[in-house]
Amino acid sequence: MIGFEAVPGSVPQAPADLLILPCYAGPDSRPEPGRGAAEAAGALGIDLVATLTAHGFAGQIGDTFATLSLGRLGAASVLFAGVGPREQAGPGAVRQAAMLAAAHLAGSVRVAVTLPDAIRPENDHQAAAAFAEGLLLGAYQYDRYRRDPVMPGWRRTALARVEVLTAGSDQAAVAGGLRRGERLAALTNWVRDLVNASPSDTTPDDLAAEARLLAGEHGLACSVLTVPELTAGGFGGILGVGQGSRNEPRLVELAYRGGGDGPVIGLTGKGITFDSGGLNLKRTSEIEWMKSDMAGAATIMAVLRGAAEFGLPVNIDAVLPFAENMPGGAAQRPGDVITHRGGKTSEIRDTDSEGRLIVADALAYLAERKPAVLVDVATLTDAAGLGEALWAVLGTDDQLISELVEAGREAGDPGWQLPLPLAYRRYLASAVADIRNTPSEGADTTVMAAMYLREFAGGVPWMHIDNGSTAYLERPGDGWPEGATGSPVRALLRWVERWAEQHPA
Ligand code: MN
Ligand code: MN
């Protein structure tokens, strides 16, 4: 556990293994000392701007310069970290700079830090939240299966305590912000843990057990449907996708009630615990990271956990379909026709377009209860090539979508809207069933997958988030290691918070 504290200490005397101090990007590519940086440089006896400039440090986000203090400071080492131009050094810059600074923690157990003052006085809370969130996202390690604390390219983090020196800021606001940032990072890192786990340890039954644990800890209602109940309930999509695996499918229902008699948000997420493609077996290297195909469902579990931890005044019904898409002897075939919850039929053209089949059942089931809004999160495609920094959102309500996009921007977990042109529905016309799961013409795209799901939202205002782009990184970048990112849990949680503000209980 890494603990954060807001303390009124002096920069030169702060006892720490590492002191982290911000610097802005000033004019003429010259750095400008941020809070405490000039004071520390004075104690070190260096000309800070000249030293940093000589080492190529201009104060941009990602610029860092570290030096030993040789007994001249209370801290053993000091790290100057760029946060970009002063006028832009808001929460987004602080979050990103903190995330990148985490790579320089090395063996530090105790860290002291000052936060940029550029966004004061109103935003000590936001700056502290962004800092704690960024540092914890950057310091994240997945060590469940590590047995050796030191391996080539890997060393277990030693960080235990982070003290934010609050001279010149509102200490209570900083302390509150640190708590918020810690929570947001913990939720995100919990999703990363679930997604990074070996898929042999995250079967549908394992994830149902995880949901039960979550429900028990946070007082959520929880029920789990197994195969006989799924059969009785007509969940042909979940059963069809799951029938090729010896790990049987499950449907988990979770409910959070913080909003009294107010409206209900319906949430679902794709929970394919491993996607081999089924009989349309994946032949590309993509199959190597298909444990990540349950990132949508994991995200929704974390949103419920977050709603409970923050005590949000909203009501949420979540329905999470879990299945493993395998090519066993009982696997569904291309050409099979399945009957979804609610009675619509789908012709399976491609068993690798399985996520939409289970999400369709979940959407239809949720829509029966007429929630105020329906949101699904699913790793269906590459989000139309938006790239690893952006998820895609499509749906039937542009106002809701613009609020979600804004929430993502605020949360540092951004997305982008794609269109849903109804004329393309004709490509999903089937010769034998109500709809086919992949288009008859053209590529199977993010838009076509959303077009398919739209059929099952029952006229309820609906948003579909395709996080196939952001949920899992095949290569490290921007402070993220290879693996799960937890996206879009921070965006969606921020959207739920905003929705609660607009719909007071
Ligand atoms: Mn697939
Ligand atoms: Mn899939």
mmCIF file with all atom_site columns, all heavy atoms in Angstrom, residues 301-320:
data_model
loop_
_atom_site.group_PDB
_atom_site.id
_atom_site.type_symbol
_atom_site.label_atom_id
_atom_site.label_alt_id
_atom_site.label_comp_id
_atom_site.label_asym_id
_atom_site.label_entity_id
_atom_site.label_seq_id
_atom_site.pdbx_PDB_ins_code
_atom_site.Cartn_x
_atom_site.Cartn_y
_atom_site.Cartn_z
_atom_site.occupancy
_atom_site.B_iso_or_equiv
_atom_site.pdbx_formal_charge
_atom_site.auth_seq_id
_atom_site.auth_comp_id
_atom_site.auth_asym_id
_atom_site.auth_atom_id
_atom_site.pdbx_PDB_model_num
ATOM 1   N N   . MET A 1 301 ? -17.967 -3.326  -13.342 1.00 0.00 ? 301 MET A N   1
ATOM 2   C CA  . MET A 1 301 ? -17.849 -3.708  -11.923 1.00 0.00 ? 301 MET A CA  1
ATOM 3   C C   . MET A 1 301 ? -17.170 -2.586  -11.131 1.00 0.00 ? 301 MET A C   1
ATOM 4   O O   . MET A 1 301 ? -17.568 -2.256  -10.012 1.00 0.00 ? 301 MET A O   1
ATOM 5   C CB  . MET A 1 301 ? -17.065 -5.012  -11.765 1.00 0.00 ? 301 MET A CB  1
ATOM 6   C CG  . MET A 1 301 ? -17.834 -6.237  -12.243 1.00 0.00 ? 301 MET A CG  1
ATOM 7   S SD  . MET A 1 301 ? -17.391 -7.753  -11.356 1.00 0.00 ? 301 MET A SD  1
ATOM 8   C CE  . MET A 1 301 ? -15.813 -8.122  -12.030 1.00 0.00 ? 301 MET A CE  1
ATOM 9   N N   . ALA A 1 302 ? -16.137 -2.000  -11.733 1.00 0.00 ? 302 ALA A N   1
ATOM 10  C CA  . ALA A 1 302 ? -15.414 -0.920  -11.040 1.00 0.00 ? 302 ALA A CA  1
ATOM 11  C C   . ALA A 1 302 ? -16.259 0.343   -10.928 1.00 0.00 ? 302 ALA A C   1
ATOM 12  O O   . ALA A 1 302 ? -16.131 1.089   -9.958  1.00 0.00 ? 302 ALA A O   1
ATOM 13  C CB  . ALA A 1 302 ? -14.097 -0.628  -11.764 1.00 0.00 ? 302 ALA A CB  1
ATOM 14  N N   . VAL A 1 303 ? -17.118 0.597   -11.896 1.00 0.00 ? 303 VAL A N   1
ATOM 15  C CA  . VAL A 1 303 ? -18.009 1.765   -11.800 1.00 0.00 ? 303 VAL A CA  1
ATOM 16  C C   . VAL A 1 303 ? -18.967 1.571   -10.617 1.00 0.00 ? 303 VAL A C   1
ATOM 17  O O   . VAL A 1 303 ? -19.216 2.509   -9.850  1.00 0.00 ? 303 VAL A O   1
ATOM 18  C CB  . VAL A 1 303 ? -18.787 1.978   -13.116 1.00 0.00 ? 303 VAL A CB  1
ATOM 19  C CG1 . VAL A 1 303 ? -19.908 3.001   -12.926 1.00 0.00 ? 303 VAL A CG1 1
ATOM 20  C CG2 . VAL A 1 303 ? -17.845 2.438   -14.223 1.00 0.00 ? 303 VAL A CG2 1
ATOM 21  N N   . LEU A 1 304 ? -19.471 0.363   -10.435 1.00 0.00 ? 304 LEU A N   1
ATOM 22  C CA  . LEU A 1 304 ? -20.341 0.111   -9.276  1.00 0.00 ? 304 LEU A CA  1
ATOM 23  C C   . LEU A 1 304 ? -19.572 0.253   -7.968  1.00 0.00 ? 304 LEU A C   1
ATOM 24  O O   . LEU A 1 304 ? -20.073 0.830   -7.004  1.00 0.00 ? 304 LEU A O   1
ATOM 25  C CB  . LEU A 1 304 ? -21.010 -1.267  -9.381  1.00 0.00 ? 304 LEU A CB  1
ATOM 26  C CG  . LEU A 1 304 ? -22.347 -1.150  -10.123 1.00 0.00 ? 304 LEU A CG  1
ATOM 27  C CD1 . LEU A 1 304 ? -22.157 -1.318  -11.600 1.00 0.00 ? 304 LEU A CD1 1
ATOM 28  C CD2 . LEU A 1 304 ? -23.390 -2.073  -9.567  1.00 0.00 ? 304 LEU A CD2 1
ATOM 29  N N   . ARG A 1 305 ? -18.351 -0.274  -7.962  1.00 0.00 ? 305 ARG A N   1
ATOM 30  C CA  . ARG A 1 305 ? -17.524 -0.122  -6.766  1.00 0.00 ? 305 ARG A CA  1
ATOM 31  C C   . ARG A 1 305 ? -17.290 1.361   -6.475  1.00 0.00 ? 305 ARG A C   1
ATOM 32  O O   . ARG A 1 305 ? -17.409 1.810   -5.342  1.00 0.00 ? 305 ARG A O   1
ATOM 33  C CB  . ARG A 1 305 ? -16.178 -0.842  -6.970  1.00 0.00 ? 305 ARG A CB  1
ATOM 34  C CG  . ARG A 1 305 ? -15.114 -0.464  -5.960  1.00 0.00 ? 305 ARG A CG  1
ATOM 35  C CD  . ARG A 1 305 ? -13.949 -1.430  -5.974  1.00 0.00 ? 305 ARG A CD  1
ATOM 36  N NE  . ARG A 1 305 ? -14.253 -2.537  -5.075  1.00 0.00 ? 305 ARG A NE  1
ATOM 37  C CZ  . ARG A 1 305 ? -13.510 -3.614  -4.917  1.00 0.00 ? 305 ARG A CZ  1
ATOM 38  N NH1 . ARG A 1 305 ? -12.425 -3.775  -5.625  1.00 0.00 ? 305 ARG A NH1 1
ATOM 39  N NH2 . ARG A 1 305 ? -13.849 -4.539  -4.061  1.00 0.00 ? 305 ARG A NH2 1
ATOM 40  N N   . GLY A 1 306 ? -17.006 2.126   -7.523  1.00 0.00 ? 306 GLY A N   1
ATOM 41  C CA  . GLY A 1 306 ? -16.765 3.556   -7.355  1.00 0.00 ? 306 GLY A CA  1
ATOM 42  C C   . GLY A 1 306 ? -18.011 4.288   -6.875  1.00 0.00 ? 306 GLY A C   1
ATOM 43  O O   . GLY A 1 306 ? -17.939 5.148   -5.993  1.00 0.00 ? 306 GLY A O   1
ATOM 44  N N   . ALA A 1 307 ? -19.162 3.954   -7.454  1.00 0.00 ? 307 ALA A N   1
ATOM 45  C CA  . ALA A 1 307 ? -20.418 4.595   -7.032  1.00 0.00 ? 307 ALA A CA  1
ATOM 46  C C   . ALA A 1 307 ? -20.641 4.358   -5.543  1.00 0.00 ? 307 ALA A C   1
ATOM 47  O O   . ALA A 1 307 ? -21.039 5.266   -4.803  1.00 0.00 ? 307 ALA A O   1
ATOM 48  C CB  . ALA A 1 307 ? -21.581 4.056   -7.855  1.00 0.00 ? 307 ALA A CB  1
ATOM 49  N N   . ALA A 1 308 ? -20.346 3.129   -5.095  1.00 0.00 ? 308 ALA A N   1
ATOM 50  C CA  . ALA A 1 308 ? -20.542 2.801   -3.673  1.00 0.00 ? 308 ALA A CA  1
ATOM 51  C C   . ALA A 1 308 ? -19.505 3.520   -2.819  1.00 0.00 ? 308 ALA A C   1
ATOM 52  O O   . ALA A 1 308 ? -19.844 4.087   -1.770  1.00 0.00 ? 308 ALA A O   1
ATOM 53  C CB  . ALA A 1 308 ? -20.459 1.291   -3.484  1.00 0.00 ? 308 ALA A CB  1
ATOM 54  N N   . GLU A 1 309 ? -18.240 3.528   -3.253  1.00 0.00 ? 309 GLU A N   1
ATOM 55  C CA  . GLU A 1 309 ? -17.183 4.150   -2.441  1.00 0.00 ? 309 GLU A CA  1
ATOM 56  C C   . GLU A 1 309 ? -17.363 5.659   -2.323  1.00 0.00 ? 309 GLU A C   1
ATOM 57  O O   . GLU A 1 309 ? -17.092 6.242   -1.275  1.00 0.00 ? 309 GLU A O   1
ATOM 58  C CB  . GLU A 1 309 ? -15.805 3.825   -3.032  1.00 0.00 ? 309 GLU A CB  1
ATOM 59  C CG  . GLU A 1 309 ? -15.400 2.383   -2.786  1.00 0.00 ? 309 GLU A CG  1
ATOM 60  C CD  . GLU A 1 309 ? -14.024 2.045   -3.342  1.00 0.00 ? 309 GLU A CD  1
ATOM 61  O OE1 . GLU A 1 309 ? -13.378 2.913   -3.975  1.00 0.00 ? 309 GLU A OE1 1
ATOM 62  O OE2 . GLU A 1 309 ? -13.592 0.897   -3.146  1.00 0.00 ? 309 GLU A OE2 1
ATOM 63  N N   . PHE A 1 310 ? -17.804 6.282   -3.416  1.00 0.00 ? 310 PHE A N   1
ATOM 64  C CA  . PHE A 1 310 ? -18.037 7.730   -3.380  1.00 0.00 ? 310 PHE A CA  1
ATOM 65  C C   . PHE A 1 310 ? -19.436 8.061   -2.858  1.00 0.00 ? 310 PHE A C   1
ATOM 66  O O   . PHE A 1 310 ? -19.778 9.236   -2.702  1.00 0.00 ? 310 PHE A O   1
ATOM 67  C CB  . PHE A 1 310 ? -17.846 8.334   -4.779  1.00 0.00 ? 310 PHE A CB  1
ATOM 68  C CG  . PHE A 1 310 ? -16.406 8.426   -5.219  1.00 0.00 ? 310 PHE A CG  1
ATOM 69  C CD1 . PHE A 1 310 ? -15.923 7.645   -6.259  1.00 0.00 ? 310 PHE A CD1 1
ATOM 70  C CD2 . PHE A 1 310 ? -15.530 9.305   -4.594  1.00 0.00 ? 310 PHE A CD2 1
ATOM 71  C CE1 . PHE A 1 310 ? -14.596 7.733   -6.665  1.00 0.00 ? 310 PHE A CE1 1
ATOM 72  C CE2 . PHE A 1 310 ? -14.200 9.406   -4.998  1.00 0.00 ? 310 PHE A CE2 1
ATOM 73  C CZ  . PHE A 1 310 ? -13.733 8.612   -6.034  1.00 0.00 ? 310 PHE A CZ  1
ATOM 74  N N   . GLY A 1 311 ? -20.258 7.026   -2.640  1.00 0.00 ? 311 GLY A N   1
ATOM 75  C CA  . GLY A 1 311 ? -21.618 7.261   -2.137  1.00 0.00 ? 311 GLY A CA  1
ATOM 76  C C   . GLY A 1 311 ? -22.458 8.102   -3.087  1.00 0.00 ? 311 GLY A C   1
ATOM 77  O O   . GLY A 1 311 ? -23.206 8.985   -2.667  1.00 0.00 ? 311 GLY A O   1
ATOM 78  N N   . LEU A 1 312 ? -22.344 7.837   -4.390  1.00 0.00 ? 312 LEU A N   1
ATOM 79  C CA  . LEU A 1 312 ? -23.043 8.675   -5.369  1.00 0.00 ? 312 LEU A CA  1
ATOM 80  C C   . LEU A 1 312 ? -24.560 8.515   -5.233  1.00 0.00 ? 312 LEU A C   1
ATOM 81  O O   . LEU A 1 312 ? -25.067 7.398   -5.082  1.00 0.00 ? 312 LEU A O   1
ATOM 82  C CB  . LEU A 1 312 ? -22.604 8.299   -6.792  1.00 0.00 ? 312 LEU A CB  1
ATOM 83  C CG  . LEU A 1 312 ? -21.127 8.494   -7.121  1.00 0.00 ? 312 LEU A CG  1
ATOM 84  C CD1 . LEU A 1 312 ? -20.871 8.177   -8.592  1.00 0.00 ? 312 LEU A CD1 1
ATOM 85  C CD2 . LEU A 1 312 ? -20.693 9.919   -6.799  1.00 0.00 ? 312 LEU A CD2 1
ATOM 86  N N   . PRO A 1 313 ? -25.284 9.648   -5.325  1.00 0.00 ? 313 PRO A N   1
ATOM 87  C CA  . PRO A 1 313 ? -26.747 9.596   -5.207  1.00 0.00 ? 313 PRO A CA  1
ATOM 88  C C   . PRO A 1 313 ? -27.417 9.183   -6.521  1.00 0.00 ? 313 PRO A C   1
ATOM 89  O O   . PRO A 1 313 ? -28.124 9.965   -7.150  1.00 0.00 ? 313 PRO A O   1
ATOM 90  C CB  . PRO A 1 313 ? -27.102 11.039  -4.822  1.00 0.00 ? 313 PRO A CB  1
ATOM 91  C CG  . PRO A 1 313 ? -26.037 11.870  -5.460  1.00 0.00 ? 313 PRO A CG  1
ATOM 92  C CD  . PRO A 1 313 ? -24.788 11.030  -5.460  1.00 0.00 ? 313 PRO A CD  1
ATOM 93  N N   . VAL A 1 314 ? -27.157 7.954   -6.943  1.00 0.00 ? 314 VAL A N   1
ATOM 94  C CA  . VAL A 1 314 ? -27.751 7.413   -8.175  1.00 0.00 ? 314 VAL A CA  1
ATOM 95  C C   . VAL A 1 314 ? -28.175 5.966   -7.934  1.00 0.00 ? 314 VAL A C   1
ATOM 96  O O   . VAL A 1 314 ? -27.752 5.342   -6.959  1.00 0.00 ? 314 VAL A O   1
ATOM 97  C CB  . VAL A 1 314 ? -26.755 7.389   -9.365  1.00 0.00 ? 314 VAL A CB  1
ATOM 98  C CG1 . VAL A 1 314 ? -26.461 8.767   -9.886  1.00 0.00 ? 314 VAL A CG1 1
ATOM 99  C CG2 . VAL A 1 314 ? -25.474 6.669   -9.002  1.00 0.00 ? 314 VAL A CG2 1
ATOM 100 N N   . ASN A 1 315 ? -28.983 5.476   -8.847  1.00 0.00 ? 315 ASN A N   1
ATOM 101 C CA  . ASN A 1 315 ? -29.343 4.056   -8.854  1.00 0.00 ? 315 ASN A CA  1
ATOM 102 C C   . ASN A 1 315 ? -28.765 3.425   -10.112 1.00 0.00 ? 315 ASN A C   1
ATOM 103 O O   . ASN A 1 315 ? -28.875 3.990   -11.203 1.00 0.00 ? 315 ASN A O   1
ATOM 104 C CB  . ASN A 1 315 ? -30.861 3.894   -8.867  1.00 0.00 ? 315 ASN A CB  1
ATOM 105 C CG  . ASN A 1 315 ? -31.500 4.487   -7.626  1.00 0.00 ? 315 ASN A CG  1
ATOM 106 O OD1 . ASN A 1 315 ? -30.968 4.354   -6.526  1.00 0.00 ? 315 ASN A OD1 1
ATOM 107 N ND2 . ASN A 1 315 ? -32.630 5.164   -7.811  1.00 0.00 ? 315 ASN A ND2 1
ATOM 108 N N   . ILE A 1 316 ? -28.136 2.258   -9.953  1.00 0.00 ? 316 ILE A N   1
ATOM 109 C CA  . ILE A 1 316 ? -27.551 1.569   -11.111 1.00 0.00 ? 316 ILE A CA  1
ATOM 110 C C   . ILE A 1 316 ? -27.965 0.109   -11.095 1.00 0.00 ? 316 ILE A C   1
ATOM 111 O O   . ILE A 1 316 ? -27.868 -0.569  -10.060 1.00 0.00 ? 316 ILE A O   1
ATOM 112 C CB  . ILE A 1 316 ? -26.005 1.641   -11.097 1.00 0.00 ? 316 ILE A CB  1
ATOM 113 C CG1 . ILE A 1 316 ? -25.527 3.091   -11.076 1.00 0.00 ? 316 ILE A CG1 1
ATOM 114 C CG2 . ILE A 1 316 ? -25.428 0.902   -12.304 1.00 0.00 ? 316 ILE A CG2 1
ATOM 115 C CD1 . ILE A 1 316 ? -24.006 3.246   -10.941 1.00 0.00 ? 316 ILE A CD1 1
ATOM 116 N N   . ASP A 1 317 ? -28.455 -0.356  -12.244 1.00 0.00 ? 317 ASP A N   1
ATOM 117 C CA  . ASP A 1 317 ? -28.635 -1.789  -12.459 1.00 0.00 ? 317 ASP A CA  1
ATOM 118 C C   . ASP A 1 317 ? -27.578 -2.230  -13.462 1.00 0.00 ? 317 ASP A C   1
ATOM 119 O O   . ASP A 1 317 ? -27.523 -1.687  -14.564 1.00 0.00 ? 317 ASP A O   1
ATOM 120 C CB  . ASP A 1 317 ? -30.020 -2.096  -13.063 1.00 0.00 ? 317 ASP A CB  1
ATOM 121 C CG  . ASP A 1 317 ? -31.109 -2.127  -12.005 1.00 0.00 ? 317 ASP A CG  1
ATOM 122 O OD1 . ASP A 1 317 ? -30.786 -1.992  -10.801 1.00 0.00 ? 317 ASP A OD1 1
ATOM 123 O OD2 . ASP A 1 317 ? -32.280 -2.286  -12.381 1.00 0.00 ? 317 ASP A OD2 1
ATOM 124 N N   . ALA A 1 318 ? -26.748 -3.177  -13.079 1.00 0.00 ? 318 ALA A N   1
ATOM 125 C CA  . ALA A 1 318 ? -25.732 -3.682  -14.008 1.00 0.00 ? 318 ALA A CA  1
ATOM 126 C C   . ALA A 1 318 ? -26.007 -5.149  -14.311 1.00 0.00 ? 318 ALA A C   1
ATOM 127 O O   . ALA A 1 318 ? -26.363 -5.917  -13.418 1.00 0.00 ? 318 ALA A O   1
ATOM 128 C CB  . ALA A 1 318 ? -24.340 -3.524  -13.409 1.00 0.00 ? 318 ALA A CB  1
ATOM 129 N N   . VAL A 1 319 ? -25.864 -5.504  -15.570 1.00 0.00 ? 319 VAL A N   1
ATOM 130 C CA  . VAL A 1 319 ? -26.037 -6.889  -16.022 1.00 0.00 ? 319 VAL A CA  1
ATOM 131 C C   . VAL A 1 319 ? -24.773 -7.262  -16.780 1.00 0.00 ? 319 VAL A C   1
ATOM 132 O O   . VAL A 1 319 ? -24.430 -6.614  -17.772 1.00 0.00 ? 319 VAL A O   1
ATOM 133 C CB  . VAL A 1 319 ? -27.286 -7.010  -16.922 1.00 0.00 ? 319 VAL A CB  1
ATOM 134 C CG1 . VAL A 1 319 ? -27.310 -8.347  -17.632 1.00 0.00 ? 319 VAL A CG1 1
ATOM 135 C CG2 . VAL A 1 319 ? -28.553 -6.810  -16.100 1.00 0.00 ? 319 VAL A CG2 1
ATOM 136 N N   . LEU A 1 320 ? -24.064 -8.261  -16.287 1.00 0.00 ? 320 LEU A N   1
ATOM 137 C CA  . LEU A 1 320 ? -22.762 -8.594  -16.863 1.00 0.00 ? 320 LEU A CA  1
ATOM 138 C C   . LEU A 1 320 ? -22.749 -10.019 -17.410 1.00 0.00 ? 320 LEU A C   1
ATOM 139 O O   . LEU A 1 320 ? -22.776 -10.988 -16.644 1.00 0.00 ? 320 LEU A O   1
ATOM 140 C CB  . LEU A 1 320 ? -21.675 -8.439  -15.789 1.00 0.00 ? 320 LEU A CB  1
ATOM 141 C CG  . LEU A 1 320 ? -21.632 -7.050  -15.142 1.00 0.00 ? 320 LEU A CG  1
ATOM 142 C CD1 . LEU A 1 320 ? -20.619 -7.028  -14.011 1.00 0.00 ? 320 LEU A CD1 1
ATOM 143 C CD2 . LEU A 1 320 ? -21.299 -5.986  -16.173 1.00 0.00 ? 320 LEU A CD2 1
#
